[in-house]
Amino acid sequence: MAFTKPRALRRAVVIPVVAALVSAVAACSSSEQSYGPGVTSEPCPGSEHKDRGCIYLGVLSDLGGGPFAPLGISMNEGQLAFWNQVNESGGIGGYDVDITTYARNTSFDPRTHRTAYQEIEPHVLALAQSLGTGQSIALLNQMDADDMVSVAATQWSGWNYRSADRNLVLSAGYSYCTEAVMGLDWFTENHYAPRNIAIVAYRGNWGGDYASGALKWALANGATIVDRIDTGPNGEVGNQDGPVEEVLAADADLVLLATGPAETAEIVGKLVQSGFDGRFLGSLPTWNAALLQTPAAPALTALFNYTTPVDGWAGNSIGAQHARAAVDHEPANFGYSLGWAISYPLKALLIAAAEAGELTRPGLRRTVTDLKPDGEGMVVVHPAGASAPDLSAEWSVVFEPDKTAPMGARAISTGYQGTTLGRLGITEPCTRL
């Protein structure tokens, strides 16, 4: 006859077993919540802070071989200095931040950008940088599925509207669209009122956004866009002879540029050499101090200005002072300041998420709502998670080439706003996906 345990004894055995299983599952779940993708209890590689864990952030940038390599490399340097200062100041919620392990060179190539994202995605909490408007837009669906928040190393106007960026992309400063509007106001006040404007811009969302702002300005101020010329990097199109010929045929009195530095130098140099007697105004990625070593240097120095959304290396803002103090040498170009400035929103997000116990990808995305990062006077940071930007808060810095100034350019107007932007009533991205 088989022995049967009394019911009370069976319950006494089963209950502790079930309790142990529940406890184990809860512990496993807690572990997954604490250490999801990109967050570990182990210190960051090479960190001296052995009592801290590590937050891994990804970087997708032109770090060599592409049209924006000098800018991308310098932006990366600025971000490295920024996060190193964060780590030296105590880290975030018991963690240091690492943006080196999963930094990848995309050479501004869309396919490489996507492949690199797929490679690092399982290992990072967020992206510290995604360089390229088209490249970043192309990843939005995948980022949405992955709950991957990113810092935009691009000023497309859609990043300022939640209907376009899905609460995934953190940005700082103006958009390319509003950059053109404020830049044209400044140009009119300080040079002359342009009547016939030609635009030479990379095809795609960057050039389209900048051109859209110029068109809005022209319509509001009685000017004409006499030509909108699409181009691409010389690595794709060979040279800029076609755009130069079109500008000359259009009889423009001002040329707006949204191109890479190499194309800027070629267009300006060839136009002036061909007898063009107008001036040039460039979007922020058009300039690099190395252009002062090209044959176009005299023409650029005499006739070219460009705008940025960031108080630069020699600026007086608290942020600019902190950026200077973080390194012991003058950076190669303006990208350093830009990389530093665009990092403020992600720092604020990580701090808020850590305080809320939300250091996971879905947690970061939830925490974006109504976040109000501080740009330390170095850059305007719109409230993250807001449905639209506060355009009245936007300003720009205007530079002119100067070989005696830091990084070959001197700020001649800081905090400029102008009057046209407030009259336009912009309520949505200037260009759509």
Side-chain angles (χ1 to χ4, degrees), residues 345-408:
L346 186 52
K347 175 188 175 184
L349 177 59
L350 291 176
I351 291 173
E355 291 175 348
E358 291 269 35
L359 275 179
T360 64
R361 286 188 199 158
L364 257 60
R365 198 171 182 182
R366 286 190 294 268
T367 308
V368 166
T369 305
D370 297 327
L371 191 69
K372 296 181 179 178
D374 177 16
E376 294 190 313
M378 189 179 187
V379 65
V380 173
V381 184
H382 297 292
S387 61
D390 177 7
L391 298 182
S392 67
E394 293 190 350
W395 48 260
S396 64
V397 183
V398 184
F399 285 84
E400 66 178 12
D402 182 347
K403 65 180 181 181
T404 67
M407 291 169 280

Side-chain angles (χ1 to χ4, degrees), residues 257-308:
L257 295 168
T259 63
E263 294 76 35
T264 294
E266 182 181 350
I267 292 167
V268 171
K270 287 182 175 179
L271 278 171
V272 172
Q273 190 176 34
S274 299
F276 177 78
D277 58 1
R279 292 188 64 92
F280 305 87
L281 180 65
S283 177
L284 72 94
T286 56
W287 177 252
N288 188 295
L291 300 191
L292 292 176
Q293 308 303 317
T294 69
L300 288 163
T301 301
L303 300 170
F304 177 75
N305 296 105
Y306 70 97
T307 52
T308 79

Side-chain angles (χ1 to χ4, degrees), residues 179-258:
E179 175 184 37
V181 174
M182 290 186 288
L184 283 163
D185 271 350
W186 176 88
F187 186 92
T188 300
E189 290 180 20
N190 290 274
H191 290 298
Y192 52 83
R195 302 268 57 91
N196 297 309
I197 302 169
I199 306 166
V200 183
Y202 278 4
R203 63 182 66 85
N205 295 86
W206 167 29
D209 219 47
Y210 193 72
S212 177
L215 177 59
K216 292 177 187 298
W217 185 91
L219 291 172
N221 290 281
T224 300
I225 304 297
V226 293
D227 207 347
R228 161 71 166 91
I229 304 162
D230 283 335
T231 190
N234 282 341
E236 296 177 11
V237 302
N239 59 56
Q240 301 300 314
D241 288 347
V244 168
E245 291 176 5
E246 287 194 53
V247 171
L248 290 171
D251 194 28
D253 56 14
L254 171 64
V255 177
L256 296 184
L257 295 168

Side-chain angles (χ1 to χ4, degrees), residues 68-89:
F68 295 107
L71 179 68
I73 291 169
S74 197
M75 286 179 66
N76 191 52
E77 181 186 3
Q79 290 196 304
L80 284 168
F82 181 94
W83 292 110
N84 181 63
Q85 186 183 76
V86 168
N87 294 341
E88 292 302 315
S89 300

